[in-house]
Amino acid sequence: MLRIIFSRIAEPHVGSASAFSFNMAEGMCPECEGLGKATDIDLDEVVDRELSLNEGAIKAPGYAVDSWPWQVVAGSGLFDPAVKLKDFTEQQWADLLHKPATKLKYGNNNFTYEGLLVRVRRGFLGKDRESMQPAARAFADRAIKLAPCPACDGTRLNEAARSARIGGLNIADCSAMQVNDLADFIRGIDDPRIGPVLEGLRSTLDSLVEIGLGYLSLNRESSTLSGGEAQRVKMVRHLNSSLTDVTYVFDEPTAGLHPHDIQRMNRLLLALCDKGNTVLVVEHKPETIAIADHVVDLGPGAGTAGGQVCYSGHLSGLRSSGTLTGRYLDHRVRLRDDFRKPTGQLPIRNATLHNLADVSVDIPLGVLTVVTGVAGSGKSSLIHGYVSGRDGVVVADQSPIRGSRRSNPATYTGVLDPIRTAFAKANKVKPGLFSANSEGACPACKGIGLIYTDLAMMAEVASVCETCEGKRFTAEVLTYRLRGKNISEVLEMPISEARDFFPTGQAGTILDRLVSVGLGYLGLGQPLTTLSGGERQRLKLAINMAKNGTTYVLDEPTTGLHLADVDQLLALLDRLVDGGNSVIVIEHHQAVMAHADWIIDLGPGAGHDGGQVVFSGTPSDLVASGTSLTAIHLRDYVNRP
């Protein structure tokens, strides 16, 4: 719609709507082909300017001192290998980095010399990352960066598209605006030639603001949106639809939402219903359960202990049903009576990443700190931008875990090693037999348990391996038993059952940690690709729990957790802190806020209306005297009967 508006009334006229699109040849920047980014190389990852060539100044793989590539550079005669790189002349720098392929003589040999960056670009930029050796891949990850395209300044558009303006702004300027600011700008345009398009665009932008996404910009890359943001963007497509009698399914639409934003989400869900649609919501938040016309409660437990409908009916009946959800629906976590004393401070000074407005704040160490604020207020920018990456900081986030379709909790946590050893000792055979990635693997499916069939242009199809019946191991391996169970049966166990089967030793210790983070219901051999974001985060946390004196950063750990599981999470966080660690949690859940020793609240709003620390102190002080949206909702939570 924005492209249509620019094609009709922008001056000068440069063409149809496609002339403003970076996905079509008419509008895209010819240099970056509409990507908006150019591959750049971080020079400081290629060389160390403080060293000479003799001292190993070249950091790129393959250039160790005295290696042949190093000898070509050092013996080129273009510079003194004993001089530090920072003292090179401008010409020497150009020769070292950019000199095109040139024939030179070294002793009695002729050889071809070319600049370091020329070789790095040819050797790394054009190659598939997965085909590289580990050292080369690590170097590429460090040294190769994506920078804004210098031709279009990252706008993705060609010069003609950028030249057309409305009210002094081109379409790239409009796309970079916050949605709420763009909505104000569009309201200021009054042209009868494009009346219907203006009305449609205003309505869509207003819907984005109403759904709590006014802080986004239209040029924001989809891949950078959180799960909750992406889900709400999808919702906007349907809010103004004239369709009725449609069934909508939402899977935890409140993920990543502050209590203030949950109220807005609830209004939108009700609006969809009121238009004559059916809305099904998978959700744990009591605020959203409270607006339901009908509630279906599954359980009674998780994993193999669940899978049954425990209750179906009105909300009032759920409260008296005796189910776990019913018992916890009105459960409230109380404010602490005694707050733990900090053992130190982690200072952040003059933070300006994204929307942060020159933020300086001290995060207390040795306690449980909750960083909160409305969606888009700058929480992640503050913590991931200025705390993650510091020494002694462990980040347990919800990002995908690298691994193949063979990876599972047993392999990822290392618990498979002591299990294999136990099987090998009991049966007097090699441990390698009990690995589905080694000699014990079923030869037909290579230890995956599934056969994948490529159907050309159609999606890949997986079927259970007929040879091993999905058990992943050879028939011989499955004859070996440990206390009556074979290796496949052990890997099919839920983690809590496996913990009872291996109560002691290294396996017992690892399994204990997995149970303590609330993952007892997961299958020990369940593929990691089937885990939710919250499950991945808790799995990463379990792996790092053995360390003391560590600062743990958790990003919305209550995502996907039942009300009863939140209590278990709080007990886990307490154990981490009481064990001598510092815990920093980015979170919206009032139960976690109430349980904290310290709260840092960002806001007051989102986008350029946020980015400030509006409160830093104890939850008691926030409830007693705070004026922010967080204070209002936490006060209501702890005082609710």
Side-chain angles (χ1 to χ4, degrees):
M1 288 185 279
L2 189 62
R3 288 168 179 157
I4 291 172
I5 290 170
F6 266 83
S7 71
R8 298 294 191 274
I9 66 172
E11 294 292 341
H13 177 75
V14 296
S16 65
S18 60
F20 295 92
S21 172
F22 49 76
N23 291 322
M24 302 165 182
E26 287 180 74
M28 71 168 56
C29 167
E31 294 296 320
C32 64
E33 297 184 331
L35 294 176
K37 294 178 179 177
T39 304
D40 196 13
I41 295 175
D42 185 346
L43 182 57
D44 289 322
E45 292 293 343
V46 179
V47 296
D48 186 338
R49 304 166 199 249
E50 299 296 321
L51 302 179
S52 67
L53 292 173
N54 288 342
E55 293 170 327
I58 304 177
K59 298 161 68 175
Y63 281 89
V65 174
D66 291 332
S67 66
W68 172 248
W70 177 89
Q71 291 180 42
V72 169
V73 176
S76 65
L78 298 171
F79 16 70
D80 184 346
V83 172
K84 295 187 185 302
L85 267 55
K86 66 179 181 180
D87 296 325
F88 274 20
T89 65
E90 189 173 330
Q91 182 60 52
Q92 287 173 327
W93 262 113
D95 288 341
L96 177 68
L97 302 175
H98 306 293
K99 193 175 186 66
T102 306
K103 294 288 186 182
L104 295 176
K105 194 172 183 65
Y106 182 52
N108 295 323
N109 298 318
N110 292 320
F111 62 94
T112 301
Y113 173 91
E114 59 184 345
L116 283 175
L117 293 187
V118 177
R119 290 201 63 175
V120 167
R121 286 195 174 93
R122 189 180 69 252
F124 292 92
L125 295 188
K127 285 191 176 178
D128 175 33
R129 183 188 171 282
E130 297 303 319
S131 68
M132 296 180 185
Q133 294 296 320
R137 187 186 308 159
F139 170 74
D141 288 343
R142 293 194 311 270
I144 299 173
K145 310 293 181 186
L146 286 175
C149 169
C152 66
D153 198 24
T155 65
R156 305 183 174 198
L157 296 166
N158 60 27
E159 189 175 353
R162 301 196 309 272
S163 69
R165 297 178 179 269
I166 299 174
L169 300 179
N170 64 28
I171 194 168
D173 298 327
C174 292
S175 297
M177 282 182 171
Q178 281 196 186
V179 164
N180 52 0
D181 293 334
L182 180 58
D184 292 338
F185 174 74
I186 296 298
R187 269 191 286 272
I189 299 175
D190 184 16
D191 193 313
R193 292 175 293 170
I194 52 169
V197 183
L198 278 173
E199 185 179 343
L201 181 55
R202 286 176 193 141
S203 178
T204 301
L205 293 172
D206 287 342
S207 294
L208 282 165
V209 173
E210 175 59 25
I211 209 169
L213 296 177
Y215 61 90
L216 295 181
S217 57
L218 296 188
N219 65 358
R220 173 85 173 261
E221 291 186 15
S222 301
S223 61
T224 67
L225 298 176
S226 69
E229 287 170 338
Q231 188 167 204
R232 282 178 280 156
V233 168
K234 292 175 187 173
M235 279 186 75
V236 170
R237 297 174 59 187
H238 301 283
L239 291 175
N240 300 315
S241 169
S242 58
L243 292 175
T244 59
D245 201 24
V246 174
T247 298
Y248 294 97
V249 178
F250 296 98
D251 194 349
E252 297 190 44
T254 64
L257 290 189
H258 188 273
H260 171 72
D261 299 311
I262 292 177
Q263 291 181 336
R264 299 163 109 174
M265 173 63 73
N266 285 349
R267 289 197 295 269
L268 293 167
L269 294 172
L270 292 171
L272 281 174
C273 281
D274 293 342
K275 288 174 62 175
N277 301 302
T278 301
V279 178
L280 300 176
V281 183
V282 180
E283 189 53 81
H284 297 104
K285 293 288 174 63
E287 299 97 320
T288 301
I289 298 173
I291 68 167
D293 299 299
H294 190 88
V295 181
V296 178
D297 187 23
L298 276 83
T304 55
Q308 303 174 46
V309 174
C310 300
Y311 174 81
S312 179
H314 292 293
L315 181 65
S316 56
L318 177 63
R319 284 194 164 92
S320 57
S321 65
T323 68
L324 193 61
T325 304
R327 296 199 306 271
Y328 269 85
L329 206 53
D330 296 315
H331 172 68
R332 297 287 177 273
V333 172
R334 304 271 70 117
L335 295 173
R336 288 180 177 276
D337 294 324
D338 297 310
F339 298 104
R340 286 174 283 229
K341 303 298 181 191
T343 57
Q345 304 287 338
L346 194 158
I348 297 175
R349 295 289 176 265
N350 309 114
T352 56
L353 182 64
H354 298 143
N355 68 327
L356 296 176
D358 198 28
V359 168
S360 293
V361 66
D362 291 321
I363 299 177
L365 297 176
V367 301
L368 172 58
T369 300
V370 171
V371 180
T372 190
V374 297
S377 60
K379 304 179 297 296
S380 295
S381 297
L382 183 70
I383 301 304
H384 291 304
Y386 296 91
V387 176
S388 302
R390 295 195 186 190
D391 290 341
V393 174
V394 171
V395 178
D397 60 15
Q398 301 187 19
S399 61
I401 295 171
R402 283 187 179 178
S404 68
R405 40 175 67 134
R406 300 171 178 275
S407 302
N408 53 51
T411 59
Y412 185 69
T413 61
V415 74
L416 185 59
D417 291 334
I419 290 175
R420 288 167 51 206
T421 301
F423 266 94
K425 187 175 180 182
N427 293 280
K428 296 182 173 56
V429 292
K430 294 183 294 184
L433 283 173
F434 304 98
S435 169
N437 298 324
S438 187
E439 52 192 293
C442 166
C445 63
K446 306 293 192 295
I448 298 175
L450 299 170
I451 300 292
Y452 290 90
T453 306
D454 185 3
L455 298 180
M457 290 181 291
M458 296 174 64
E460 190 177 54
V461 172
S463 56
V464 175
C465 174
E466 294 181 0
T467 304
C468 67
E469 298 179 338
K471 292 181 168 43
R472 305 174 62 195
F473 295 90
T474 64
E476 178 199 353
V477 170
L478 295 177
T479 63
Y480 298 123
R481 296 188 171 268
L482 177 67
R483 296 193 293 280
K485 300 284 187 183
N486 64 37
I487 184 67
S488 179
E489 290 169 334
V490 167
L491 291 175
E492 288 175 1
M493 290 179 176
I495 286 170
S496 55
E497 183 183 338
R499 192 264 311 267
D500 295 335
F501 194 75
F502 297 99
T504 59
Q506 183 185 358
T509 301
I510 297 173
L511 292 167
D512 267 339
R513 292 187 198 128
L514 290 168
V515 171
S516 72
V517 297
L519 294 179
Y521 63 91
L522 283 185
L524 195 57
Q526 182 175 336
L528 293 185
T529 52
T530 65
L531 269 58
S532 69
E535 288 167 340
R536 291 193 295 263
Q537 182 178 44
R538 296 195 291 281
L539 188 60
K540 294 173 186 176
L541 179 60
I543 288 176
N544 289 290
M545 277 177 59
K547 303 172 183 175
N548 285 330
T550 297
T551 298
Y552 290 93
V553 172
L554 284 76
D555 198 339
E556 298 186 33
T558 64
T559 300
L561 285 188
H562 185 272
L563 296 164
D565 295 324
V566 173
D567 272 5
Q568 188 177 4
L569 173 70
L570 295 178
L572 169 66
L573 299 181
D574 280 341
R575 285 203 300 277
L576 286 173
V577 175
D578 294 338
N581 302 293
S582 305
V583 178
I584 303 169
V585 181
I586 302 170
E587 189 54 79
H588 298 106
H589 204 298
Q590 296 103 313
V592 183
M593 296 183 206
H595 195 71
D597 297 298
W598 197 261
I599 286 184
I600 296 173
D601 189 19
L602 273 79
H608 59 50
D609 295 323
Q612 304 172 50
V613 174
V614 295
F615 177 85
S616 181
T618 64
S620 294
D621 289 342
L622 180 62
V623 168
S625 58
T627 58
S628 66
L629 290 168
T630 300
I632 293 167
H633 286 277
L634 185 58
R635 191 178 299 125
D636 176 64
Y637 173 86
V638 298
N639 292 331
R640 201 179 307 161

